[in-house]
Amino acid sequence: MRTSLKHSSRDLSISGFRKFDPVLRRLAKHVIVAIVAFAGLAAFPSAHAADNGPKLAPIQVSPERRQLIGLTFATVEEKELTDRIETTGLVEPDQQLEGYVQTRFAGWIRQVFVDQTYQYVKTGQPLFTIYSPDLVSAESEYLLALKATQQMADSPIEGVATGAKSLVDAALTRLRLFGVSPREISRLERERTVRDT
């Protein structure tokens, strides 16, 4: 009967603790060492402790149980834990650091610079190039309005210069609504050329 009891303990060990080996075994070791250390400290009451407090009983672990849980004895010492614990988990990015990009105009993407999930980008870093007929048209209208303003500036007809200026303002407003940066608008005024991306 004793042999079969040992055999069933061994089966329990294999099916129970060894499945989660080495994590549970290490955890059990650390818990028992902590309990033994606490029991050892409790054996020496401090000068401030009351004598009428509950006494701690010593822990008794049978040799079979020690073998089952993989308990070993060591001198308690303070040191860094260097055991490696492997576990599964779910990594989620910080939602406050995430950003979503939407274009304000219709078009299609020609070239992608950021093409991986969770790839870090810096402020101002280009993500992609996009072609938009609407944006090209708005930039062309702005350049035509600038040209008309220069040509009509000295017009003797009343209101022509003002009308040309209002065309420039309307085209500029349209570009700003499309999200065109002030730097790109300055480039348009300086170079007088439309980029298609």
Side-chain angles (χ1 to χ4, degrees), residues 107-121:
W108 55 87
I109 294 175
R110 285 193 168 168
Q111 187 177 10
V112 178
F113 301 114
V114 179
D115 58 357
Q116 295 177 5
T117 306
Y118 305 119
Q119 182 176 346
Y120 288 101
V121 293

Side-chain angles (χ1 to χ4, degrees), residues 92-99 118 120:
E92 291 186 8
D94 186 358
Q95 292 181 352
Q96 294 177 346
L97 298 177
E98 288 182 355
Y118 305 119
Y120 288 101

Side-chain angles (χ1 to χ4, degrees), residues 4 10 41 65 94 108 121 125 128 136 159 164 167-168 177-178:
S4 67
R10 199 172 289 142
L41 289 175
R65 178 67 73 181
D94 186 358
W108 55 87
V121 293
Q125 177 182 345
F128 51 82
V136 170
L167 285 175
V168 170
L177 289 174
F178 276 152

Side-chain angles (χ1 to χ4, degrees), residues 1-12 64:
M1 181 162 186
R2 185 172 187 154
T3 307
S4 67
L5 181 62
K6 281 186 178 179
H7 185 67
S8 82
S9 295
R10 199 172 289 142
D11 290 344
L12 178 64
E64 290 86 13

Side-chain angles (χ1 to χ4, degrees), residues 139-157 159-169 171 192:
E139 288 181 353
S140 297
E141 287 173 11
Y142 180 64
L143 292 179
L144 286 172
L146 285 176
K147 186 176 180 182
T149 302
Q150 287 178 345
Q151 291 175 350
M152 306 277 182
D154 298 331
S155 175
I157 302 171
V160 171
T162 309
K165 176 70 174 131
S166 66
L167 285 175
V168 170
D169 292 340
R192 303 292 172 120

